């Protein structure tokens, strides 16, 4: 079952997003293994990132082996705080 994560970074900016995504995504052309959708943009009070993975396990693997280690060591110019997180067990995902 697909699994979605929505991260809101209060006070976050496009520049912070660009620096952060460069550190955690394999390239600007592809998504990490298991991720099937990615969108991001400015939102009320900050910046929001939405990702859909093919499973909760895929998300947790990405979070634990790539995302959190990078955030914990610090990303030059990236987000400076952890996000507010909402997780969704996806009921329906259209192409």
């Amino acid at each position: 079952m697909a699994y979605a994560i929505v991260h809101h970074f209060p006070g976050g900016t496009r520049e912070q997003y660009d620096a952060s995504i460069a550190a955690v995504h394999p390239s600007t052309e592809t998504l990490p293994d298991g991720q099937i959708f990615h969108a991001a943009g400015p939102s009320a009070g900050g910046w929001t990132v939405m990702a859909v993975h093919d499973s909760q396990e895929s998300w947790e693997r990405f979070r634990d082996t790539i995302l959190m280690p990078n955030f914990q060591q610090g990303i030059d110019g990236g987000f400076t705080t952890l996000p507010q997180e909402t997780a969704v067990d996806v009921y329906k995902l259209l192409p």
Side-chain angles (χ1 to χ4, degrees):
M1 169 186 288
Y3 193 76
I5 294 295
V6 179
H7 282 156
H8 176 70
F9 294 89
T13 66
R14 178 181 179 170
E15 292 76 20
Q16 289 175 315
Y17 166 76
D18 287 342
S20 296
I21 203 70
V24 301
H25 272 210
S27 76
T28 59
E29 309 269 329
T30 61
L31 295 172
D33 287 341
Q35 192 175 111
I36 56 178
F37 175 82
H38 179 95
S43 57
W47 195 266
T48 298
V49 180
M50 299 154 280
V52 178
H53 285 257
D54 57 14
S55 67
Q56 182 175 349
E57 293 76 21
S58 167
W59 155 246
E60 290 172 352
R61 184 173 48 256
F62 173 73
R63 179 195 65 201
D64 296 345
T65 63
I66 297 171
L67 186 65
M68 290 310 296
N70 276 280
F71 269 92
Q72 289 170 342
Q73 72 181 14
I75 298 169
D76 188 33
F79 295 117
T80 57
T81 61
L82 293 177
Q84 299 166 352
E85 181 176 287
T86 302
V88 179
D89 287 321
V90 176
Y91 165 72
K92 188 173 202 173
L93 180 64
L94 300 173

